[in-house]
Amino acid sequence: MIADSMVSFKGVNNTYLPPSGPVHALDRINLDIASGEFITVVGRSGCGKSTLLNLVAGFERSDSGEILVSNCKISGPGLDRGVVFKRETRPRNRAALY
């Protein structure tokens, strides 16, 4: 862990258990994000990008490992973190005019 980490993932694993069999979304993720650092998570569909964000938001719990924000372990959603969802939520009849 770097000394001024704002967000740290330490050995994070996450597996989903759908009826079709286990899906290993994240495997031993170790990542430090410094205060003021801007990162981008890029990958193909289903590679674990949203899972990673849901874990740091506190919406899901990892199977193992830990996630820290400002050196505090995440145990659920908190007011110190925000999420912008990728699905459009405005009604279709409220389209913006250009």
Side-chain angles (χ1 to χ4, degrees):
M1 184 170 102
I2 55 178
D4 62 345
S5 289
M6 180 58 101
V7 179
S8 292
F9 292 84
K10 297 179 178 180
V12 174
N13 294 290
N14 194 310
T15 301
Y16 292 103
L17 300 171
S20 59
V23 175
H24 302 285
L26 301 174
D27 185 26
R28 297 171 292 189
I29 300 297
N30 293 294
L31 173 65
D32 288 312
I33 304 169
S35 180
E37 188 173 20
F38 184 89
I39 68 161
T40 303
V41 180
V42 179
R44 63 177 173 74
S45 178
C47 73
K49 300 179 302 290
S50 294
T51 299
L52 192 73
L53 296 174
N54 283 333
L55 290 170
V56 78
F59 297 149
E60 298 180 25
R61 290 191 175 200
S62 63
D63 297 333
S64 61
E66 65 180 358
I67 304 165
L68 305 171
V69 173
S70 298
N71 293 319
C72 295
K73 189 172 181 176
I74 293 177
S75 60
L79 297 176
D80 58 335
R81 291 160 273 134
V83 175
V84 177
F85 296 97
K86 61 184 176 184
R87 288 192 180 97
E88 185 175 341
T89 57
R90 106 182 128 69
R92 290 187 184 272
N93 64 345
R94 302 283 177 146
L97 299 175
Y98 296 97

